[in-house]
Amino acid sequence: PATGSYKVSGGTKNSTGDYTMTWTVDFSSVNYTVVACAGPAGAGDSRWATTQPANASTCHVRSYDSSGATVSDVMIAAFGDQA
């Protein structure tokens, strides 16, 4: 999944639109922020992504389209104190 990354050691594709990202350097705690965007969307379609830091070293990301189907394109950024 990671085609361009900074401090991302890898990603696991759990299924289409469902990923677990692993950081090269852990965050100092689970109290960090991850933002995500799913796209690109076609005409009349919308897409979104949800994120949930699982722990200081991984984050779970899911992406969907307006029908609720999962989509494979997702971009993320994470912000917080690293260990």
Side-chain angles (χ1 to χ4, degrees), residues 2 4 9 11 13 16 20 23-24 26 28 41 43 56-57 65 68 70 72 78 80:
S9 65
K13 182 177 181 180
T16 300
T20 300
W23 314 121
T24 302
D26 290 354
S28 59
S57 60
D65 68 13
T70 56
S72 59

Side-chain angles (χ1 to χ4, degrees), residues 3-63:
T3 58
S5 64
Y6 177 73
K7 304 259 184 186
V8 175
S9 65
T12 301
K13 182 177 181 180
N14 304 314
S15 62
T16 300
D18 185 348
Y19 305 98
T20 300
M21 304 307 294
T22 304
W23 314 121
T24 302
V25 177
D26 290 354
F27 285 90
S28 59
S29 73
V30 73
N31 297 319
Y32 61 95
T33 299
V34 180
V35 293
C37 178
D45 189 19
S46 59
R47 294 185 175 185
W48 68 94
T50 61
T51 63
Q52 180 179 6
N55 54 48
S57 60
T58 63
C59 176
H60 194 201
V61 180
R62 290 187 179 142
S63 56

